[in-house]
Amino acid sequence: ALSMYVGPLLIQSFVDYIEGDRKHHYYGYILVLVLLLSKMIEVTSTHHYNFRSQKLGMLIRSSLITTVYRKGLRLSSASRQAHGVGQIVNYMSVDVQQINDSIIR
């Protein structure tokens, strides 16, 4: 999170460096290097967060699907005959999707 705020601060430092006197020529290179490193850290951490979030979402969804399908396997014969197989599978997948959507939001 800190790397997100480094960019605007460094841009102000760039402006000050360009408008001011340039006694130290390497100061501009140092600013560019720090900006590059901070943006690399920001992008890497953002991608890592997104990857972990999607992985957790898939784990939750697969656990829910497994639980709902196990429940479906325990249905009695009379319950299975009252509704078609496609209808039962549709109910289960809609239920999992609704639970998954409610967790995400």
Side-chain angles (χ1 to χ4, degrees):
L2 180 65
S3 62
M4 294 173 61
Y5 299 106
V6 173
L9 293 174
L10 286 177
I11 290 175
Q12 183 60 44
S13 298
F14 280 127
V15 170
D16 294 341
Y17 175 74
I18 291 173
E19 288 179 349
D21 56 348
R22 299 180 190 174
K23 293 180 185 177
H24 306 287
H25 296 291
Y26 291 105
Y27 184 69
Y29 292 120
I30 292 172
L31 286 174
V32 168
L33 182 64
V34 170
L35 180 65
L36 178 68
L37 288 176
S38 69
K39 289 301 172 180
M40 286 174 64
I41 291 170
E42 178 185 351
V43 166
T44 304
S45 62
T46 302
H47 282 283
H48 183 70
Y49 170 76
N50 288 335
F51 172 74
R52 298 289 295 225
S53 297
Q54 287 181 355
K55 185 177 176 183
L56 178 63
M58 284 189 276
L59 180 66
I60 290 170
R61 182 171 171 80
S62 65
S63 299
L64 283 171
I65 288 172
T66 302
T67 304
V68 168
Y69 279 100
R70 280 188 187 155
K71 175 71 175 178
L73 291 175
R74 287 190 306 236
L75 285 176
S76 66
S77 178
S79 297
R80 278 189 231 149
Q81 289 178 358
H83 302 284
V85 175
Q87 193 173 15
I88 292 172
V89 170
N90 189 30
Y91 287 149
M92 288 191 267
S93 64
V94 167
D95 288 345
V96 168
Q97 187 62 42
Q98 286 178 348
I99 293 170
N100 196 24
D101 288 344
S102 67
I103 291 173
I104 293 173
R105 293 184 185 142

